């Protein structure tokens, strides 16, 4: 794997910020896009733009065929059994809202409980509350490891679903999802996995995980914003009512009643973001050309290197030190507010995220207002981590 070659595919990495070469370490928020993905959008709108599934004309037919090809690409990428299990959405948030809404209408009976982990993103908390569930959070240790004994004790007759993140966006923990699914299924409870922070870092195999739903966003895996995926096991999707009405989700409509299209179209109401879906296809091509295992190895090296360098600095406290971790490093510096650290780093060209990262319960768990978060992608280098640490060293005296 040649990082210099990879970096040349990402034009934004040449950007200067405050007179310095950008060091982009906010990849958990969104990754940058390779030129092939950027070109897809221009190419689509220059040569191919048409609404899909409905037009009798050439452009509509080609756009439809490309869109459906990406569905099969996604199927292979996450090793789903069938392309009918792949539903395109706007992103992880919409995917989880879709499942929460449809699942609740089909399976909730009153007094319903959903087990979540204590480290969920708000997108895997609020939709369940909106659906009327009581949440039962799985506690985690100071290192950021879920307590699986406590998990086991949370199951009751009222438990309808387990909804758990594969990788924590704040702590980086890679949760033992396959084992958690096995235990939930032993209780007869289905499992939704939030894969927003997993798909760009590790090989995802939904059949090996055994989960019932797997949700992720394109923009966190080098694809455009505005496209995501909801994978659902076919048997489960057949059971669920549609989420939104209109467009291609129907089979037959009268004023008296409507019958619904077959999978996956039952869940794709309205005109989808076709160009972005095609961009997702090129993003998968990009990841596969590098190799997902190579990406994981490179990022693990960056994480080890950055953790080691950061933990040598005075007054730096790391949050999330689980043995199984992906490319996220959350920390605080002394008593400094994370926002101040982020702003000063930005002045030196280093982009990190600060705040609660849409995981307020994690902040409450540690009794802190937020963290500074550096998160890595395939194009990051040890040199950039050196630049980040040097910037931190430079601002440390200002934070006393
Ligand atoms: N986390 C972060 O900076 P959307 O916004 O729908 O693409 O993804 C929501 C989401 C759901 N689950 C997890 C684990 C996530 O990390 C995110 C997005 C970003 O950490 C933006 S808050």
């Amino acid at each position: 794997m040649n990082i210099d070659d990879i970096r040349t595919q990402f034009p934004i990495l040449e950007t200067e910020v405050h007179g310095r070469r950008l060091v982009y370490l906010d990849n958990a928020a969104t990754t940058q896009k390779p030129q092939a993905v950027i070109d897809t959008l221009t190419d689509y709108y220059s040569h191919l733009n048409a609404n899909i599934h409905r037009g009798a004309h050439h452009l509509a037919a080609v756009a439809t065929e490309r869109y459906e090809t990406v569905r099969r690409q996604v199927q292979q990428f996450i090793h789903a059994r069938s392309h009918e299990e792949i539903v395109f959405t706007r992103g992880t948030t919409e995917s989880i809202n879709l499942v929460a809404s449809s699942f609740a209408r089909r399976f909730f009976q009153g007094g319903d409980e959903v087990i979540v982990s204590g480290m969920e993103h708000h997108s895997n908390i609020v939709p369940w509350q909106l659906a009327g569930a009581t949440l039962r959070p799985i506690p985690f240790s100071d290192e950021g490891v879920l307590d699986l004994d406590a998990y086991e004790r949370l199951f009751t007759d009222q438990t309808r679903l387990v909804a758990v993140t594969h990788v924590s966006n704040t702590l980086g923990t890679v949760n033992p999802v396959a084992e958690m699914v096995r235990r939930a299924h032993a209780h007869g409870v289905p499992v939704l996995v939030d894969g927003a922070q997993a798909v760009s870092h590790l090989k995802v195999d939904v059949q090996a995980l055994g989960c019932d739903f797997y949700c992720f966003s394109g923009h966190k895996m080098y694809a455009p914003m505005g496209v995501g995926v909801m994978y659902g096991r076919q048997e489960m999707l057949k059971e669920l009512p549609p989420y939104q009405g209109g467009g291609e989700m129907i089979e037959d409509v009268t004023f008296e009643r409507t019958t619904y299209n077959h999978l996956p179209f039952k869940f794709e109401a309205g005109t989808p973001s076709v160009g972005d879906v095609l961009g997702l296809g090129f993003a998968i091509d990009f990841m596969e050309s590098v190799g997902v295992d190579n990406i994981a190895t490179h990022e693990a090296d960056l994480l080890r290197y950055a953790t080691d360098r950061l933990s040598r600095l005075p007054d730096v406290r790391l949050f999330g030190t689980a043995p199984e971790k992906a490319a996220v490093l959350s920390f605080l510096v002394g008593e400094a507010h994370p926002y101040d650290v982020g702003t000063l780093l930005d002045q030196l060209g280093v982009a990190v995220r600060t705040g609660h990262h849409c995981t307020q319960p994690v902040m409450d768990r540690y009794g802190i207002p937020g963290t500074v978060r550096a998160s890595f992608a395939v194009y990051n280098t040890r040199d950039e981590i050196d630049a980040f640490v040097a910037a931190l060293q430079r601002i440390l005296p200002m934070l006393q």
Side-chain angles (χ1 to χ4, degrees), residues 28-29 92-93 121 165 169 194 196-197 217 219-220 353 358 373:
T92 311
T93 302
H121 187 278
T165 193
N169 66 320
D194 172 351
Q197 297 293 346
S217 303
H219 73 94
K220 292 186 196 292
R353 186 170 172 187
C358 299
R373 184 188 69 184

Side-chain angles (χ1 to χ4, degrees), residues 26-30 90-96 119-124 165-170 194-198 215-220 226-228 353 356-359 373 375:
D26 194 17
N27 296 286
T30 195
R90 283 192 303 125
T92 311
T93 302
E94 188 174 60
S95 296
I96 299 175
M119 58 180 82
E120 292 311 313
H121 187 278
H122 298 164
S123 292
N124 201 20
T165 193
H166 197 167
V167 174
S168 159
N169 66 320
T170 301
D194 172 351
Q197 297 293 346
C215 304
F216 58 97
S217 303
H219 73 94
K220 292 186 196 292
V227 56
R353 186 170 172 187
H356 54 60
H357 316 302
C358 299
T359 55
R373 184 188 69 184
S375 51

Side-chain angles (χ1 to χ4, degrees), residues 325-343:
K325 256 195 89 169
V328 167
L329 205 52
S330 265
F331 63 96
L332 283 176
V333 184
E335 297 303 313
H337 195 281
Y339 182 76
D340 294 337
V341 181
T343 308

Side-chain angles (χ1 to χ4, degrees), residues 104 108 111-115 125 127-136 160:
F108 280 14
D112 309 281
E113 296 176 5
V114 171
I115 297 176
I125 296 175
W128 304 108
Q129 292 171 332
L130 288 173
T134 301
L135 296 182
R136 299 284 178 225
R160 303 283 175 253

Side-chain angles (χ1 to χ4, degrees), residues 42-56:
T42 315
D43 189 55
Y44 173 73
Y45 287 110
S46 305
H47 305 296
L48 199 58
N49 181 47
N51 211 326
I52 56 167
H53 293 135
R54 32 197 120 187

